[in-house]
Amino acid sequence: MFFGPARDATGTRATLVEGRTVGDVVAATVERYGEELARLLPTCRVWLNGDPTTPETPVGQKDEVALLPPVSGG
Amino acid sequence: MFFGPARDATGTRATLVEGRTVGDVVAATVERYGEELARLLPTCRVWLNGDPTTPETPVGQKDEVALLPPVSGG
Amino acid sequence: MGQDDWIELTSGEIPFAAIAAWVVRPGCGAVDIFCGTAREQSDDRPRVERLEYEAYEPFVVPKMTEIALEARRRWPQVGRLALVHRVGPVLIGEASVLIAASTPHRSESFDVVHWCIDTLKATVPIWKREIWGGGADWGLHAQELSQVADAPGPDR
Amino acid sequence: MGQDDWIELTSGEIPFAAIAAWVVRPGCGAVDIFCGTAREQSDDRPRVERLEYEAYEPFVVPKMTEIALEARRRWPQVGRLALVHRVGPVLIGEASVLIAASTPHRSESFDVVHWCIDTLKATVPIWKREIWGGGADWGLHAQELSQVADAPGPDR
């Protein structure tokens, strides 16, 4: 799942990515969408099914990894 | 003019008091209404026609002296 | 009192919705509104039924105008500013006072409204009477009246 | 989420008057209501026409509920508490967010509402897009997302 500037960088809101861990999924995503997303990445948080996660966390087919750029609600 | 607890102490909202200065008027008022008002007096502000005043300020027939006990608006 | 100040002493209900709509400005991203509402409990007076506010009426609006002027001197970025107080009976849960301000950014909206209510409670000639089952008396926590110019700074 | 919390993500106008009436409690003498309203000016974007809020929708209400829980842990005296945010288009002058709280005394009503809006802006997955004459882009002053438990204390 992509939001805000990360959605602009990918041109989509969601995509299917293969990977064994959260780190794998993020790396494969950046490879697919290129430099603009790579530049955003250091400011993004990564959530797995709505909770903060770590690169080592394993993921399955139904898991949702979200890339969350800096927020601007309010 | 009397407000709040000072109105209770005098049983009235306004009265006519003779005096050459603000201090005279306050002294005459306390004399008229007695101890309960005298006890309140140190916590009261005295206004002349809506502005803070001093005991030495001269007063005329149309001037309004107000005894303002601690306030509790809001 | 400019067109961007709403300063009123009223014996009816405070026109909350009208003020909330009026206070918004297109250049201001923040609105803060504070209401003082009549409480049923006041220290050792457990079942207050209503309040009665008495005011030295001719001088309430002038004092609140002074507060608005001083608030704008301290926070020049304020857009619109409302100070409204009730006199007479106020039932439990009804608002006795309302302060509202719009400002460009959020932090100053809290600061100016907080300062205005603190200053109002110290400087405006109004007295609260509490009526409860067992009796009636003037509000506890009354403050000796002070002048707007002597109000403590924004950083209390 | 108890009956004394009103937590909502809405694509329509924020029900301001309903929340303002609901938040009052007989044991609380103070109500503070903060609204963030859409501004027509944002730094170098002089004539913003409207905002568009995008949210990671399934997790907005859970995050705001977490904020409410933490607010009640820090200020146990809070009576009722509302956190409401809009998604989708918001016109200039309309409210994008509302925080309201009732408390026994006034100072804590400002503190808890101020803390809630600051924490919401740092922890809830929502993004603002500004649309102006010359273009459209995501909101300036975005903050890297943090967790509610890491929010700074009441005395910021």
Side-chain angles (χ1 to χ4, degrees):
Chain A
M1 300 290 287
F2 308 108
F3 296 96
R7 181 164 61 76
D8 284 358
T10 61
T12 184
R13 180 145 173 161
T15 188
L16 285 170
V17 180
E18 301 272 314
R20 212 175 33 82
T21 65
V22 168
D24 289 351
V25 168
V26 171
T29 308
V30 169
E31 192 158 331
R32 185 178 305 171
Y33 293 106
E35 210 175 308
E36 193 179 340
L37 188 61
R39 264 199 311 273
L40 275 176
L41 200 62
T43 64
C44 288
R45 295 292 178 270
V46 183
W47 281 7
L48 176 64
N49 304 323
D51 287 315
T53 185
T54 60
E56 302 75 36
T57 307
V59 294
Q61 284 210 316
K62 290 187 171 168
D63 285 329
E64 184 170 287
V65 175
L67 277 185
L68 310 174
V71 291
S72 49
Chain B
M1 299 291 287
F2 308 108
F3 296 97
R7 181 164 60 76
D8 285 359
T10 61
T12 184
R13 182 148 173 161
T15 188
L16 284 170
V17 180
E18 301 272 316
R20 214 177 29 85
T21 65
V22 168
D24 289 351
V25 168
V26 172
T29 308
V30 169
E31 190 157 333
R32 185 179 306 172
Y33 292 105
E35 211 176 310
E36 193 179 340
L37 188 61
R39 263 198 312 272
L40 276 175
L41 201 61
T43 65
C44 289
R45 296 289 178 271
V46 183
W47 282 5
L48 176 63
N49 304 323
D51 287 313
T53 186
T54 60
E56 301 75 34
T57 306
V59 293
Q61 283 210 317
K62 290 186 168 167
D63 286 327
E64 185 171 287
V65 174
L67 278 184
L68 309 174
V71 291
S72 50
Chain C
M1 182 164 134
Q3 63 175 18
D4 287 334
D5 293 326
W6 179 323
I7 296 175
E8 186 181 349
L9 180 71
T10 174
S11 58
E13 277 193 49
I14 293 177
F16 178 86
I19 296 168
W22 169 87
V23 76
V24 176
R25 298 291 293 139
C28 289
V31 166
D32 192 57
I33 303 176
F34 174 84
C35 292
T37 54
R39 292 178 67 191
E40 71 184 353
Q41 175 154 6
S42 175
D43 296 347
D44 57 335
R45 302 168 181 175
R47 301 214 66 146
V48 174
E49 288 160 14
R50 68 173 195 280
L51 308 181
E52 294 255 3
Y53 285 88
E54 168 175 322
Y56 191 10
E57 299 203 7
F59 300 106
V60 167
V61 166
K63 274 291 158 195
M64 295 202 296
T65 304
E66 228 183 281
I67 294 171
L69 277 170
E70 180 66 15
R72 288 184 180 279
R73 199 183 64 75
R74 296 183 186 211
W75 289 275
Q77 63 273 58
V78 167
R80 284 185 163 170
L81 182 58
L83 292 94
V84 181
H85 205 295
R86 261 179 97 162
V87 278
V90 178
L91 300 180
I92 301 306
E94 289 184 345
S96 51
V97 65
L98 179 148
I99 313 278
S102 53
T103 61
H105 302 288
R106 70 186 182 284
S107 211
E108 61 223 25
S109 74
F110 293 106
D111 292 343
V112 67
V113 171
H114 199 165
W115 182 85
C116 282
I117 182 64
D118 285 354
T119 303
L120 182 152
K121 289 177 86 87
T123 66
V124 178
I126 298 180
W127 295 266
K128 171 171 71 179
R129 198 175 173 83
E130 295 175 336
I131 294 99
W132 66 96
D137 206 351
W138 298 96
L140 305 162
H141 313 297
Q143 303 181 45
E144 292 192 21
L145 189 63
S146 61
Q147 293 301 110
V148 175
D150 301 331
D155 313 312
R156 324 189 64 176
Chain D
M1 180 163 132
Q3 62 175 17
D4 287 334
D5 294 325
W6 179 324
I7 296 176
E8 186 182 349
L9 180 69
T10 176
S11 58
E13 277 192 48
I14 293 177
F16 178 86
I19 297 169
W22 169 87
V23 76
V24 175
R25 299 289 296 136
C28 289
V31 166
D32 192 56
I33 304 177
F34 175 84
C35 292
T37 54
R39 291 177 69 190
E40 69 183 356
Q41 175 155 6
S42 175
D43 296 349
D44 56 337
R45 302 169 180 174
R47 299 215 65 148
V48 174
E49 286 160 14
R50 68 172 196 279
L51 307 181
E52 293 256 3
Y53 284 89
E54 169 174 319
Y56 191 11
E57 297 203 8
F59 300 106
V60 167
V61 165
K63 274 291 156 194
M64 295 201 297
T65 304
E66 229 183 277
I67 294 170
L69 278 170
E70 178 66 17
R72 287 184 179 280
R73 199 182 65 74
R74 296 183 186 212
W75 289 273
Q77 64 275 58
V78 167
R80 285 186 163 170
L81 181 58
L83 292 93
V84 181
H85 205 294
R86 262 180 97 162
V87 277
V90 178
L91 300 180
I92 301 306
E94 289 183 348
S96 52
V97 65
L98 180 149
I99 312 278
S102 53
T103 60
H105 301 287
R106 71 186 183 283
S107 211
E108 62 224 24
S109 74
F110 293 107
D111 291 344
V112 67
V113 171
H114 199 165
W115 182 86
C116 283
I117 182 63
D118 285 355
T119 303
L120 182 152
K121 288 177 86 86
T123 67
V124 178
I126 298 181
W127 295 267
K128 171 171 72 177
R129 197 176 175 82
E130 295 174 336
I131 294 99
W132 67 96
D137 205 353
W138 299 96
L140 304 162
H141 314 297
Q143 302 183 45
E144 292 192 20
L145 190 64
S146 61
Q147 293 301 109
V148 174
D150 302 330
D155 312 313
R156 324 190 64 178

